Amino acid sequence: MPERPVPPPVAVSPPDAGPTGPPPLTGGRDPVPLPCSDPADPAAAIFDGISRWVGSPPIRELVAGFGGRWPAGDLGAVLAALDGFSARHWDFRAGRERPEAREPDLDERSAAQVHAAASTLGLVRPRPPARTRYAHLVVLGGLAHACLRRVAYAAHLLRGDVGVTGEVAVLGSYRPLSEVERRTLADAGVTGCDTEVDVLDAAVRRTFGRSVPDSEDGLDAGHPHHSWSSRTYRPTGLPQVRVLAAPSSEPQRRRAHTADTQRFWAEHARLLPDEPVLLVTAPIYVPFQHCDALRTLAVPYGCEIDTVGVDPTLPDLTRLPEPTLTPGRYLQEIRSAIRSMRALHTTLAEVGQHARRTG
C-alpha cells in the first residue's frame, strides 16, 4: 500500500440535493457512529449517518492506501464508486461463503492500518446495548460457532440488565453445515445438527434449559429455499424465544439471507412503529447487519434499531470457539457495510420518490 495523502473531503448529499459542501467528519480516532433514524426526520438522519460513515477518515485512508482516488459526486455516486472499488480490492469471497474466502498478502504496515480502520469503524470492539429495555431482541444466525456464541450472549443480556417486553427472535436459514462446522459442534458437545437453524435451535434448548419447543409451525415445501419453520420456547421468568427459518425471497437463485429472515420475522411479530429492537451479532458484522436492519425493519416499520456484537471476554463465552479475525476478513466486512449502506440509500431514495409522486 503506497503512502499518499488523504484526499480532501467530498460533498455527499441526499437525493435531489446538489453537492453543497463537505459533511462533518468524525475527528481523531474516536469511533465512527453508525447511521440511525430520528423520529423527527428518519430519512435525513439516516442519510447523514451514511455520509459520515463512508466519508470518515478511515475509509478515505483505506481507499488512498489501496491506490484509489476519492470519488466525486453526491452520496449515491460515492457509494456506487466505493462499491466498485471495494469489489476490485477487498472482495476475497468471489461469491463463495465467508469461510472459503482467500486471505490477501498484506505487509505488516498495511495490515496494521486495516485493523486500526476496522476498530474505528466499529468492527472490532463490542459495545453494550444503548438501552435497558427493548420491545424485541433479535439474534442473527451465522456459522455454527457464531450461533452458539450469539444465543449464549443473548441469554447473558436477558439475565442481566436488558429487559424485553415482546419476544426473543433467533433467526436462521436452512444452509447446510460444512464439515468444519460439524467438527466445531462436536468439540462443543452439540450433535444432531444438519443446518444453521438446527444449530440455533440446539443452542436455544441448551442455553435456556428446554428439551422440546412449546409450539411449532412451518411449511415443508420440498425444497429449503421455499420452506419455513418456527419453534417457540417459553423459558421460566424470561420472554418467549422463537427460532425462525425463513424462505428465500428469490428461491430460484439462492437460499434465504439475513434480510429475508428479518422481513419474515417482522411479519410474524407484527412489528410496530417506534418499538426499539436490539440485534445481536458479532462485532465484525455490526455495521453491515445494522444497516440491513435499518433497510428491512426501520424504514418499512418505523422501529428503532440498536445492533451490538458479542463480548467474547464474558465467562459464559470463553469456553466457546472464537475464530481468528484477519485483515482480509475486516476488509471484506468493510465492503459488506458499504454495500449495505448503498442498498439502504437506494431504498430511502425510492421511498422519498414514491412519497413525492403520491403526496
mmCIF file of all heavy atoms in Angstrom, residues 98-99 115 123-124 142-150 180-181 184 281-285 310-312 317-327 329-330:
data_model
loop_
_atom_site.group_PDB
_atom_site.id
_atom_site.type_symbol
_atom_site.label_atom_id
_atom_site.label_comp_id
_atom_site.label_asym_id
_atom_site.label_seq_id
_atom_site.Cartn_x
_atom_site.Cartn_y
_atom_site.Cartn_z
ATOM 1 N N ARG A 98 -18.278 -17.189 3.423
ATOM 2 C CA ARG A 98 -17.208 -16.480 4.130
ATOM 3 C C ARG A 98 -16.008 -17.360 4.508
ATOM 4 O O ARG A 98 -14.871 -16.939 4.354
ATOM 5 C CB ARG A 98 -17.769 -15.773 5.362
ATOM 6 C CG ARG A 98 -18.502 -14.480 5.021
ATOM 7 C CD ARG A 98 -19.102 -13.829 6.255
ATOM 8 N NE ARG A 98 -19.535 -12.467 5.955
ATOM 9 C CZ ARG A 98 -20.716 -12.164 5.426
ATOM 10 N NH1 ARG A 98 -21.569 -13.133 5.147
ATOM 11 N NH2 ARG A 98 -21.032 -10.902 5.186
ATOM 12 N N PRO A 99 -16.218 -18.585 5.010
ATOM 13 C CA PRO A 99 -15.049 -19.390 5.381
ATOM 14 C C PRO A 99 -14.159 -19.767 4.203
ATOM 15 O O PRO A 99 -13.004 -20.162 4.394
ATOM 16 C CB PRO A 99 -15.673 -20.648 6.008
ATOM 17 C CG PRO A 99 -17.039 -20.243 6.415
ATOM 18 C CD PRO A 99 -17.472 -19.229 5.402
ATOM 19 N N HIS A 115 -6.468 -2.969 10.469
ATOM 20 C CA HIS A 115 -7.005 -3.248 11.798
ATOM 21 C C HIS A 115 -7.415 -1.957 12.508
ATOM 22 O O HIS A 115 -8.469 -1.899 13.162
ATOM 23 C CB HIS A 115 -5.980 -4.009 12.636
ATOM 24 C CG HIS A 115 -6.562 -4.551 13.914
ATOM 25 N ND1 HIS A 115 -6.646 -3.782 15.060
ATOM 26 C CD2 HIS A 115 -7.109 -5.752 14.218
ATOM 27 C CE1 HIS A 115 -7.206 -4.494 16.015
ATOM 28 N NE2 HIS A 115 -7.499 -5.692 15.544
ATOM 29 N N LEU A 123 -15.889 -2.441 13.946
ATOM 30 C CA LEU A 123 -15.902 -3.864 13.614
ATOM 31 C C LEU A 123 -15.097 -4.723 14.588
ATOM 32 O O LEU A 123 -15.027 -5.942 14.408
ATOM 33 C CB LEU A 123 -15.338 -4.098 12.203
ATOM 34 C CG LEU A 123 -16.230 -3.765 11.005
ATOM 35 C CD1 LEU A 123 -16.340 -2.274 10.790
ATOM 36 C CD2 LEU A 123 -15.697 -4.441 9.749
ATOM 37 N N VAL A 124 -14.481 -4.117 15.599
ATOM 38 C CA VAL A 124 -13.552 -4.865 16.446
ATOM 39 C C VAL A 124 -14.062 -4.996 17.872
ATOM 40 O O VAL A 124 -14.240 -6.108 18.376
ATOM 41 C CB VAL A 124 -12.152 -4.213 16.436
ATOM 42 C CG1 VAL A 124 -11.198 -4.955 17.365
ATOM 43 C CG2 VAL A 124 -11.594 -4.178 15.012
ATOM 44 N N GLY A 142 -25.578 -17.505 11.779
ATOM 45 C CA GLY A 142 -24.277 -17.427 11.113
ATOM 46 C C GLY A 142 -23.659 -18.801 11.075
ATOM 47 O O GLY A 142 -24.358 -19.823 11.040
ATOM 48 N N LEU A 143 -22.316 -18.847 11.093
ATOM 49 C CA LEU A 143 -21.629 -20.125 11.165
ATOM 50 C C LEU A 143 -21.898 -20.780 12.518
ATOM 51 O O LEU A 143 -22.341 -20.124 13.465
ATOM 52 C CB LEU A 143 -20.141 -19.921 10.942
ATOM 53 C CG LEU A 143 -19.754 -19.367 9.564
ATOM 54 C CD1 LEU A 143 -18.260 -19.121 9.495
ATOM 55 C CD2 LEU A 143 -20.191 -20.319 8.455
ATOM 56 N N ALA A 144 -21.614 -22.059 12.619
ATOM 57 C CA ALA A 144 -22.009 -22.828 13.799
ATOM 58 C C ALA A 144 -21.496 -22.225 15.093
ATOM 59 O O ALA A 144 -22.247 -22.071 16.066
ATOM 60 C CB ALA A 144 -21.519 -24.272 13.648
ATOM 61 N N HIS A 145 -20.211 -21.872 15.136
ATOM 62 C CA HIS A 145 -19.661 -21.303 16.370
ATOM 63 C C HIS A 145 -20.355 -19.993 16.726
ATOM 64 O O HIS A 145 -20.593 -19.696 17.894
ATOM 65 C CB HIS A 145 -18.154 -21.085 16.241
ATOM 66 C CG HIS A 145 -17.773 -20.101 15.186
ATOM 67 N ND1 HIS A 145 -17.791 -18.728 15.394
ATOM 68 C CD2 HIS A 145 -17.371 -20.274 13.906
ATOM 69 C CE1 HIS A 145 -17.416 -18.112 14.292
ATOM 70 N NE2 HIS A 145 -17.145 -19.019 13.373
ATOM 71 N N ALA A 146 -20.711 -19.193 15.685
ATOM 72 C CA ALA A 146 -21.385 -17.920 15.929
ATOM 73 C C ALA A 146 -22.779 -18.141 16.495
ATOM 74 O O ALA A 146 -23.231 -17.386 17.369
ATOM 75 C CB ALA A 146 -21.456 -17.114 14.638
ATOM 76 N N CYS A 147 -23.486 -19.164 16.013
ATOM 77 C CA CYS A 147 -24.820 -19.448 16.540
ATOM 78 C C CYS A 147 -24.758 -19.733 18.032
ATOM 79 O O CYS A 147 -25.577 -19.216 18.812
ATOM 80 C CB CYS A 147 -25.421 -20.637 15.801
ATOM 81 S SG CYS A 147 -25.801 -20.340 14.059
ATOM 82 N N LEU A 148 -23.795 -20.543 18.446
ATOM 83 C CA LEU A 148 -23.658 -20.872 19.869
ATOM 84 C C LEU A 148 -23.356 -19.628 20.694
ATOM 85 O O LEU A 148 -23.957 -19.400 21.752
ATOM 86 C CB LEU A 148 -22.558 -21.905 20.061
ATOM 87 C CG LEU A 148 -22.732 -23.258 19.364
ATOM 88 C CD1 LEU A 148 -21.522 -24.146 19.639
ATOM 89 C CD2 LEU A 148 -24.009 -23.945 19.806
ATOM 90 N N ARG A 149 -22.437 -18.810 20.205
ATOM 91 C CA ARG A 149 -21.991 -17.642 20.966
ATOM 92 C C ARG A 149 -23.085 -16.588 21.061
ATOM 93 O O ARG A 149 -23.285 -15.973 22.109
ATOM 94 C CB ARG A 149 -20.740 -17.047 20.315
ATOM 95 C CG ARG A 149 -19.544 -17.988 20.307
ATOM 96 C CD ARG A 149 -18.388 -17.408 19.515
ATOM 97 N NE ARG A 149 -17.852 -16.234 20.174
ATOM 98 C CZ ARG A 149 -16.995 -16.284 21.199
ATOM 99 N NH1 ARG A 149 -16.602 -17.447 21.683
ATOM 100 N NH2 ARG A 149 -16.537 -15.186 21.742
ATOM 101 N N ARG A 150 -23.800 -16.356 19.987
ATOM 102 C CA ARG A 150 -24.798 -15.289 19.978
ATOM 103 C C ARG A 150 -26.001 -15.638 20.859
ATOM 104 O O ARG A 150 -26.537 -14.767 21.548
ATOM 105 C CB ARG A 150 -25.226 -14.991 18.541
ATOM 106 C CG ARG A 150 -24.092 -14.424 17.708
ATOM 107 C CD ARG A 150 -24.462 -14.262 16.244
ATOM 108 N NE ARG A 150 -23.273 -14.040 15.436
ATOM 109 C CZ ARG A 150 -23.270 -13.881 14.119
ATOM 110 N NH1 ARG A 150 -24.417 -13.917 13.454
ATOM 111 N NH2 ARG A 150 -22.131 -13.697 13.463
ATOM 112 N N VAL A 180 -16.261 -28.618 8.659
ATOM 113 C CA VAL A 180 -15.558 -27.873 9.707
ATOM 114 C C VAL A 180 -16.537 -27.474 10.807
ATOM 115 O O VAL A 180 -16.233 -27.587 12.009
ATOM 116 C CB VAL A 180 -14.861 -26.632 9.121
ATOM 117 C CG1 VAL A 180 -14.288 -25.750 10.238
ATOM 118 C CG2 VAL A 180 -13.757 -27.042 8.156
ATOM 119 N N GLU A 181 -17.721 -27.008 10.427
ATOM 120 C CA GLU A 181 -18.728 -26.631 11.422
ATOM 121 C C GLU A 181 -19.169 -27.842 12.238
ATOM 122 O O GLU A 181 -19.369 -27.742 13.460
ATOM 123 C CB GLU A 181 -19.933 -25.997 10.730
ATOM 124 C CG GLU A 181 -19.672 -24.618 10.170
ATOM 125 C CD GLU A 181 -20.880 -24.069 9.446
ATOM 126 O OE1 GLU A 181 -21.169 -24.532 8.326
ATOM 127 O OE2 GLU A 181 -21.547 -23.188 10.013
ATOM 128 N N THR A 184 -16.613 -28.474 14.798
ATOM 129 C CA THR A 184 -16.707 -27.455 15.846
ATOM 130 C C THR A 184 -17.824 -27.793 16.827
ATOM 131 O O THR A 184 -17.658 -27.686 18.051
ATOM 132 C CB THR A 184 -16.954 -26.073 15.224
ATOM 133 O OG1 THR A 184 -15.842 -25.719 14.407
ATOM 134 C CG2 THR A 184 -17.154 -25.001 16.293
ATOM 135 N N THR A 281 -25.216 -9.810 17.030
ATOM 136 C CA THR A 281 -24.406 -10.459 16.012
ATOM 137 C C THR A 281 -22.978 -10.507 16.524
ATOM 138 O O THR A 281 -22.742 -10.465 17.730
ATOM 139 C CB THR A 281 -24.538 -9.713 14.667
ATOM 140 O OG1 THR A 281 -23.767 -10.396 13.662
ATOM 141 C CG2 THR A 281 -24.100 -8.272 14.755
ATOM 142 N N ALA A 282 -21.994 -10.588 15.635
ATOM 143 C CA ALA A 282 -20.584 -10.489 16.016
ATOM 144 C C ALA A 282 -20.103 -9.077 15.721
ATOM 145 O O ALA A 282 -20.599 -8.432 14.786
ATOM 146 C CB ALA A 282 -19.749 -11.506 15.246
ATOM 147 N N PRO A 283 -19.138 -8.553 16.478
ATOM 148 C CA PRO A 283 -18.690 -7.176 16.237
ATOM 149 C C PRO A 283 -18.299 -6.904 14.788
ATOM 150 O O PRO A 283 -18.613 -5.834 14.252
ATOM 151 C CB PRO A 283 -17.485 -7.041 17.172
ATOM 152 C CG PRO A 283 -17.801 -7.946 18.314
ATOM 153 C CD PRO A 283 -18.485 -9.137 17.677
ATOM 154 N N ILE A 284 -17.653 -7.858 14.124
ATOM 155 C CA ILE A 284 -17.183 -7.620 12.763
ATOM 156 C C ILE A 284 -18.334 -7.388 11.786
ATOM 157 O O ILE A 284 -18.171 -6.737 10.754
ATOM 158 C CB ILE A 284 -16.299 -8.791 12.288
ATOM 159 C CG1 ILE A 284 -15.566 -8.432 10.985
ATOM 160 C CG2 ILE A 284 -17.104 -10.069 12.131
ATOM 161 C CD1 ILE A 284 -14.545 -9.454 10.557
ATOM 162 N N TYR A 285 -19.539 -7.898 12.115
ATOM 163 C CA TYR A 285 -20.684 -7.755 11.222
ATOM 164 C C TYR A 285 -21.633 -6.635 11.634
ATOM 165 O O TYR A 285 -22.641 -6.409 10.960
ATOM 166 C CB TYR A 285 -21.472 -9.069 11.172
ATOM 167 C CG TYR A 285 -20.661 -10.260 10.748
ATOM 168 C CD1 TYR A 285 -20.680 -11.436 11.494
ATOM 169 C CD2 TYR A 285 -19.864 -10.228 9.611
ATOM 170 C CE1 TYR A 285 -19.928 -12.530 11.126
ATOM 171 C CE2 TYR A 285 -19.109 -11.321 9.231
ATOM 172 C CZ TYR A 285 -19.143 -12.470 9.991
ATOM 173 O OH TYR A 285 -18.392 -13.560 9.621
ATOM 174 N N VAL A 310 -21.260 -9.600 20.109
ATOM 175 C CA VAL A 310 -20.982 -10.452 21.260
ATOM 176 C C VAL A 310 -19.675 -10.022 21.930
ATOM 177 O O VAL A 310 -18.684 -9.736 21.256
ATOM 178 C CB VAL A 310 -20.885 -11.918 20.807
ATOM 179 C CG1 VAL A 310 -20.359 -12.808 21.933
ATOM 180 C CG2 VAL A 310 -22.237 -12.413 20.314
ATOM 181 N N ASP A 311 -19.676 -9.980 23.251
ATOM 182 C CA ASP A 311 -18.463 -9.699 24.017
ATOM 183 C C ASP A 311 -17.767 -11.032 24.317
ATOM 184 O O ASP A 311 -18.232 -11.808 25.160
ATOM 185 C CB ASP A 311 -18.815 -8.986 25.321
ATOM 186 C CG ASP A 311 -17.585 -8.583 26.126
ATOM 187 O OD1 ASP A 311 -16.471 -9.012 25.755
ATOM 188 O OD2 ASP A 311 -17.739 -7.848 27.113
ATOM 189 N N PRO A 312 -16.646 -11.336 23.643
ATOM 190 C CA PRO A 312 -16.026 -12.658 23.795
ATOM 191 C C PRO A 312 -15.328 -12.860 25.131
ATOM 192 O O PRO A 312 -14.909 -13.976 25.441
ATOM 193 C CB PRO A 312 -15.011 -12.683 22.647
ATOM 194 C CG PRO A 312 -14.652 -11.253 22.430
ATOM 195 C CD PRO A 312 -15.914 -10.474 22.703
ATOM 196 N N LEU A 317 -18.787 -17.247 27.678
ATOM 197 C CA LEU A 317 -18.436 -17.426 26.273
ATOM 198 C C LEU A 317 -17.001 -17.888 26.048
ATOM 199 O O LEU A 317 -16.656 -18.285 24.942
ATOM 200 C CB LEU A 317 -18.656 -16.116 25.505
ATOM 201 C CG LEU A 317 -20.069 -15.522 25.575
ATOM 202 C CD1 LEU A 317 -20.158 -14.265 24.731
ATOM 203 C CD2 LEU A 317 -21.099 -16.535 25.103
ATOM 204 N N THR A 318 -16.164 -17.813 27.058
ATOM 205 C CA THR A 318 -14.758 -18.147 26.848
ATOM 206 C C THR A 318 -14.553 -19.612 26.481
ATOM 207 O O THR A 318 -13.551 -19.963 25.853
ATOM 208 C CB THR A 318 -13.932 -17.820 28.107
ATOM 209 O OG1 THR A 318 -14.546 -18.470 29.238
ATOM 210 C CG2 THR A 318 -13.883 -16.322 28.348
ATOM 211 N N ARG A 319 -15.512 -20.465 26.839
ATOM 212 C CA ARG A 319 -15.351 -21.880 26.512
ATOM 213 C C ARG A 319 -15.818 -22.203 25.092
ATOM 214 O O ARG A 319 -15.599 -23.314 24.603
ATOM 215 C CB ARG A 319 -16.146 -22.737 27.509
ATOM 216 C CG ARG A 319 -17.623 -22.424 27.519
ATOM 217 C CD ARG A 319 -18.363 -23.194 28.612
ATOM 218 N NE ARG A 319 -19.752 -22.796 28.730
ATOM 219 C CZ ARG A 319 -20.726 -23.238 27.935
ATOM 220 N NH1 ARG A 319 -20.438 -24.090 26.985
ATOM 221 N NH2 ARG A 319 -21.972 -22.821 28.106
ATOM 222 N N LEU A 320 -16.481 -21.270 24.438
ATOM 223 C CA LEU A 320 -16.959 -21.491 23.080
ATOM 224 C C LEU A 320 -15.900 -21.067 22.070
ATOM 225 O O LEU A 320 -15.127 -20.148 22.326
ATOM 226 C CB LEU A 320 -18.249 -20.705 22.835
ATOM 227 C CG LEU A 320 -19.444 -21.121 23.707
ATOM 228 C CD1 LEU A 320 -20.624 -20.209 23.435
ATOM 229 C CD2 LEU A 320 -19.814 -22.572 23.442
ATOM 230 N N PRO A 321 -15.846 -21.712 20.914
ATOM 231 C CA PRO A 321 -14.800 -21.403 19.932
ATOM 232 C C PRO A 321 -14.891 -19.976 19.419
ATOM 233 O O PRO A 321 -15.977 -19.443 19.200
ATOM 234 C CB PRO A 321 -15.054 -22.419 18.809
ATOM 235 C CG PRO A 321 -16.489 -22.822 18.980
ATOM 236 C CD PRO A 321 -16.756 -22.764 20.446
ATOM 237 N N GLU A 322 -13.741 -19.365 19.213
ATOM 238 C CA GLU A 322 -13.651 -17.992 18.710
ATOM 239 C C GLU A 322 -12.773 -18.003 17.461
ATOM 240 O O GLU A 322 -11.625 -18.457 17.505
ATOM 241 C CB GLU A 322 -13.046 -17.069 19.767
ATOM 242 C CG GLU A 322 -12.679 -15.680 19.274
ATOM 243 C CD GLU A 322 -13.888 -14.768 19.109
ATOM 244 O OE1 GLU A 322 -15.017 -15.248 19.299
ATOM 245 O OE2 GLU A 322 -13.710 -13.593 18.787
ATOM 246 N N PRO A 323 -13.273 -17.568 16.312
ATOM 247 C CA PRO A 323 -12.469 -17.598 15.091
ATOM 248 C C PRO A 323 -11.371 -16.543 15.113
ATOM 249 O O PRO A 323 -11.457 -15.542 15.833
ATOM 250 C CB PRO A 323 -13.494 -17.284 13.998
ATOM 251 C CG PRO A 323 -14.522 -16.453 14.702
ATOM 252 C CD PRO A 323 -14.606 -17.008 16.106
ATOM 253 N N THR A 324 -10.351 -16.779 14.324
ATOM 254 C CA THR A 324 -9.282 -15.801 14.167
ATOM 255 C C THR A 324 -9.688 -14.795 13.096
ATOM 256 O O THR A 324 -10.018 -15.176 11.969
ATOM 257 C CB THR A 324 -7.975 -16.495 13.750
ATOM 258 O OG1 THR A 324 -7.614 -17.438 14.758
ATOM 259 C CG2 THR A 324 -6.860 -15.483 13.577
ATOM 260 N N LEU A 325 -9.698 -13.521 13.458
ATOM 261 C CA LEU A 325 -10.077 -12.475 12.508
ATOM 262 C C LEU A 325 -8.812 -11.877 11.898
ATOM 263 O O LEU A 325 -7.865 -11.556 12.605
ATOM 264 C CB LEU A 325 -10.914 -11.411 13.207
ATOM 265 C CG LEU A 325 -12.225 -11.938 13.800
ATOM 266 C CD1 LEU A 325 -12.999 -10.821 14.487
ATOM 267 C CD2 LEU A 325 -13.082 -12.607 12.730
ATOM 268 N N THR A 326 -8.811 -11.733 10.609
ATOM 269 C CA THR A 326 -7.629 -11.333 9.842
ATOM 270 C C THR A 326 -7.890 -10.022 9.114
ATOM 271 O O THR A 326 -9.045 -9.596 8.979
ATOM 272 C CB THR A 326 -7.292 -12.411 8.809
ATOM 273 O OG1 THR A 326 -8.413 -12.536 7.899
ATOM 274 C CG2 THR A 326 -7.040 -13.765 9.483
ATOM 275 N N PRO A 327 -6.835 -9.363 8.605
ATOM 276 C CA PRO A 327 -7.060 -8.146 7.816
ATOM 277 C C PRO A 327 -7.986 -8.369 6.635
ATOM 278 O O PRO A 327 -8.828 -7.507 6.329
ATOM 279 C CB PRO A 327 -5.646 -7.776 7.365
ATOM 280 C CG PRO A 327 -4.748 -8.331 8.412
ATOM 281 C CD PRO A 327 -5.399 -9.611 8.846
ATOM 282 N N ARG A 329 -10.465 -10.485 6.444
ATOM 283 C CA ARG A 329 -11.837 -10.561 6.940
ATOM 284 C C ARG A 329 -12.385 -9.171 7.228
ATOM 285 O O ARG A 329 -13.549 -8.867 6.925
ATOM 286 C CB ARG A 329 -11.880 -11.410 8.215
ATOM 287 C CG ARG A 329 -11.635 -12.902 8.016
ATOM 288 C CD ARG A 329 -12.853 -13.611 7.461
ATOM 289 N NE ARG A 329 -14.045 -13.419 8.280
ATOM 290 C CZ ARG A 329 -14.349 -14.129 9.358
ATOM 291 N NH1 ARG A 329 -13.535 -15.083 9.764
ATOM 292 N NH2 ARG A 329 -15.452 -13.901 10.039
ATOM 293 N N TYR A 330 -11.566 -8.318 7.819
ATOM 294 C CA TYR A 330 -12.035 -6.968 8.125
ATOM 295 C C TYR A 330 -12.317 -6.177 6.844
ATOM 296 O O TYR A 330 -13.341 -5.493 6.739
ATOM 297 C CB TYR A 330 -11.022 -6.235 8.996
ATOM 298 C CG TYR A 330 -11.045 -6.673 10.437
ATOM 299 C CD1 TYR A 330 -9.914 -7.201 11.053
ATOM 300 C CD2 TYR A 330 -12.207 -6.572 11.205
ATOM 301 C CE1 TYR A 330 -9.938 -7.615 12.380
ATOM 302 C CE2 TYR A 330 -12.242 -6.980 12.533
ATOM 303 C CZ TYR A 330 -11.109 -7.498 13.106
ATOM 304 O OH TYR A 330 -11.142 -7.909 14.424
#
